[in-house]
């Protein structure tokens, strides 16, 4: 009898422990994590890849070289995970000359400044030029080509990146101290918060250059993706993509995305493909939804929220099948799309555009959210 009681007690204890273990396993599965992996060496310094995972099965990978997003894994309508951004398996891919800014942080000035020239407070500045005699994405060595300092924040859902661009870097005035925080949330949003301070007046326009293909490679192009952009006007550009200062209405033109439509529907009527800045229709200066993308093949739906006044919609026009990326995919024209939340191109030379000048004592802020779901 005693033996039986002992056996019974042991069995109860075993069941109790098993239940408890299950609870612990479930609890840990419900947690966020940030894992680290070596990702090569840049200018004698180690590059690390950080992967943030959330309880809903989404993963975001970031390297401290260029603060680059190297992967965004989200479930499709059948709950199958897939990587929805273009990129490379190794650092050498990102370091190659032809890397078209895949996933990186862009600055100090995202997009173009005509001839790399502007004047501020009576002084003229010349920024390094790297695009048909104009400055693109911060000049020859922009923020995409430097090593950022990465810090995992408490809670394991955010990675903070910091970098100080020195007075005179690429020709820009002032020491610019920049902080970018990437946060993954439980509702499968990737939030990017940018802030910066300076000790001399300087133009600032920071963004991220992720190339999205929501089908995760199932579809070779994004021409069947449906896009909505809340915007009545766009900034007209010349042949070198420098704004003319005019803001034509989108109504009745191929530029009208107020009602969602497949990207491929009117693209042939836009010389070279879409590569323009839309003037967002906003109700204020806070975080607002400004665009949506839907891919029927995977059911993935992407919503873009931002505090910025503009959105560069770029259809990967210059991708030409010369680059092979992750999963051995060859990136042909229109393999992906960029939705770069920003101030307007060439604002330092366009008095009619919202100002991009940051003064000492002020703090630059921009927040953008890429929210993923399925329909
Ligand atoms: C620009 C394109 C450029 C691309 C570089 C985009 O932001 O608008 O003109 O070719 O970046 O990858």
């Amino acid at each position: 009898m005693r033996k039986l009681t002992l056996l019974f007690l042991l069995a109860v204890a075993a069941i109790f422990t098993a239940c408890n273990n299950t609870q612990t396993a479930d609890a840990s599965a419900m947690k966020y994590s940030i894992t680290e992996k070596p990702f090569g060496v840049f200018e004698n310094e180690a590059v690390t890849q950080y992967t943030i995972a959330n309880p809903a099965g989404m993963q975001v990978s970031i390297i401290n070289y260029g603060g680059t997003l190297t992967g965004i894994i989200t479930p499709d309508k059948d709950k199958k995970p897939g990587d929805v951004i273009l990129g490379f398996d190794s650092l050498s891919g990102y370091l190659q000359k032809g890397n078209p800014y895949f996933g990186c942080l862009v600055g100090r000035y995202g997009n173009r400044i005509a001839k790399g020239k502007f004047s501020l407070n009576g002084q003229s500045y010349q920024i390094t030029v790297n695009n048909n005699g104009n400055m693109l994405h911060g000049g020859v060595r922009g923020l995409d080509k430097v090593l950022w300092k990465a810090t995992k924040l408490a809670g394991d859902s955010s990675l903070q990146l910091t970098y100080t661009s020195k007075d005179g870097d690429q020709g820009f005035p002032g020491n610019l101290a920049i902080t970018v925080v990437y946060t993954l949330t439980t509702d499968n949003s990737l939030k990017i918060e940018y802030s910066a301070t300076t000790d001399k007046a300087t133009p600032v326009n920071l963004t991220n250059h992720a190339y999205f293909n929501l089908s995760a490679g199932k579809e070779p192009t994004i021409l069947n993706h449906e896009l909505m952009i809340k915007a009545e006007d766009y900034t007209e550009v010349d042949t070198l993509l420098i704004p003319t200062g005019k803001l034509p209405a989108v109504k009745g033109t191929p530029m009208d995305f107020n009602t969602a439509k497949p990207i491929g529907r009117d693209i042939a009527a836009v010389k070279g493909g879409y590569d323009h800045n839309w003037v967002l229709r906003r109700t204020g200066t806070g975080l607002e939804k400004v665009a949506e993308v839907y891919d029927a093949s995977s059911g993935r739906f992407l919503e873009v929220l931002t505090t910025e006044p503009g959105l560069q919609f770029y259809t990967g026009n210059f991708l030409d099948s010369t680059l092979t990326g992750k999963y051995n995919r060859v990136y042909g024209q229109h393999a992906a799309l960029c939705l770069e939340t920003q101030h307007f191109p060439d604002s330092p030379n366009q008095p009619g555009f919202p100002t991009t000048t940051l003064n000492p004592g002020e703090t630059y802020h921009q927040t953008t959210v890429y929210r993923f779901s399925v329909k």
Side-chain angles (χ1 to χ4, degrees), residues 100-101 112 137 209 211 241 275 312 314 318 340:
Y101 298 89
R112 291 171 175 83
H137 297 333
H209 212 293
Y211 282 68
L241 301 171
D275 192 359
Q312 184 83 8
Y314 170 58
F318 301 112
E340 302 154 56

Side-chain angles (χ1 to χ4, degrees), residues 214-247:
L214 297 185
S215 77
K218 241 199 236 169
E219 298 256 330
T221 75
I222 45 69
L223 297 178
N224 290 330
H225 284 38
E226 286 163 33
L227 173 70
M228 185 280 288
I229 304 177
K230 279 189 194 164
E232 243 74 69
D233 318 293
Y234 69 101
T235 48
E236 185 187 76
V237 285
D238 66 15
T239 49
L240 294 181
L241 301 171
I242 298 294
T244 61
K246 289 191 192 136
L247 305 178

Side-chain angles (χ1 to χ4, degrees), residues 97-101 104-117 126-145 170 172 209 240-242 318:
K97 213 165 167 277
N99 171 13
Y101 298 89
C104 59
L105 294 176
V106 162
R108 296 183 179 196
Y109 197 97
N111 218 307
R112 291 171 175 83
I113 295 180
K115 301 190 171 66
K117 283 186 200 306
Q126 175 67 61
I127 312 302
T128 57
V129 292
N130 55 341
N131 189 259
N132 302 310
N134 297 314
M135 184 226 71
L136 174 68
H137 297 333
V140 171
R141 187 179 151 114
L143 302 179
D144 58 295
K145 294 182 183 64
Q170 304 310 301
F172 286 104
H209 212 293
L240 294 181
L241 301 171
I242 298 294
F318 301 112

Side-chain angles (χ1 to χ4, degrees), residues 4 58 79 82 92 105-106 162 185 188 196 211 213 221 231 237 276 316 331 346 361-362:
L4 266 182
M58 180 167 160
K79 300 200 166 64
S92 59
L105 294 176
V106 162
T162 53
T185 66
N188 282 358
Y211 282 68
N213 180 323
T221 75
V237 285
H276 299 80
Y331 298 139
D346 203 26
E362 297 172 348

Side-chain angles (χ1 to χ4, degrees), residues 38-270:
F39 204 78
V41 174
F42 174 68
E43 295 180 346
N44 297 322
E45 300 216 45
V47 178
T48 304
Q49 183 180 57
Y50 299 84
T51 298
I52 315 176
N54 76 357
M58 180 167 160
Q59 284 183 23
V60 173
S61 296
I62 301 143
I63 54 173
N64 50 338
Y65 174 73
T68 303
L69 283 170
T70 55
I72 298 182
I73 296 181
T74 70
D76 68 7
K77 60 184 172 198
D78 301 319
K79 300 200 166 64
K80 197 167 159 262
D83 192 342
V84 296
I85 59 168
L86 306 195
F88 302 105
D89 288 319
S90 64
L91 187 62
S92 59
Y94 291 97
L95 295 178
Q96 68 189 297
K97 213 165 167 277
N99 171 13
Y101 298 89
F102 280 164
C104 59
L105 294 176
V106 162
R108 296 183 179 196
Y109 197 97
N111 218 307
R112 291 171 175 83
I113 295 180
K115 301 190 171 66
K117 283 186 200 306
F118 60 89
S119 46
L120 198 55
N121 300 334
Q123 202 163 332
S124 336
Y125 295 96
Q126 175 67 61
I127 312 302
T128 57
V129 292
N130 55 341
N131 189 259
N132 302 310
N134 297 314
M135 184 226 71
L136 174 68
H137 297 333
V140 171
R141 187 179 151 114
L143 302 179
D144 58 295
K145 294 182 183 64
V146 301
L147 207 62
W148 293 65
K149 181 179 182 293
T151 311
K152 296 189 274 184
L153 300 185
D156 280 347
S157 59
S158 299
L159 185 75
Q160 173 183 280
L161 296 164
T162 53
Y163 183 76
T164 298
S165 167
K166 292 269 174 325
D167 187 9
D169 184 7
Q170 304 310 301
F172 286 104
N175 290 293
L176 187 71
I178 312 155
T179 300
V180 177
V181 179
Y182 283 106
T183 300
L184 180 56
T185 66
T186 33
D187 71 345
N188 282 358
S189 292
L190 170 63
K191 178 158 79 177
I192 315 177
E193 292 166 289
Y194 308 76
S195 57
T197 54
T198 183
D199 53 9
K200 281 186 193 160
T202 191
V204 182
N205 191 26
L206 306 178
T207 191
N208 178 279
H209 212 293
Y211 282 68
F212 297 99
N213 180 323
L214 297 185
S215 77
K218 241 199 236 169
E219 298 256 330
T221 75
I222 45 69
L223 297 178
N224 290 330
H225 284 38
E226 286 163 33
L227 173 70
M228 185 280 288
I229 304 177
K230 279 189 194 164
E232 243 74 69
D233 318 293
Y234 69 101
T235 48
E236 185 187 76
V237 285
D238 66 15
T239 49
L240 294 181
L241 301 171
I242 298 294
T244 61
K246 289 191 192 136
L247 305 178
V250 297
K251 203 168 181 200
T253 79
M255 310 301 274
D256 192 353
F257 285 92
N258 282 292
T259 305
K261 67 175 177 189
I263 291 166
R265 181 176 294 169
D266 297 327
I267 196 170
V270 181

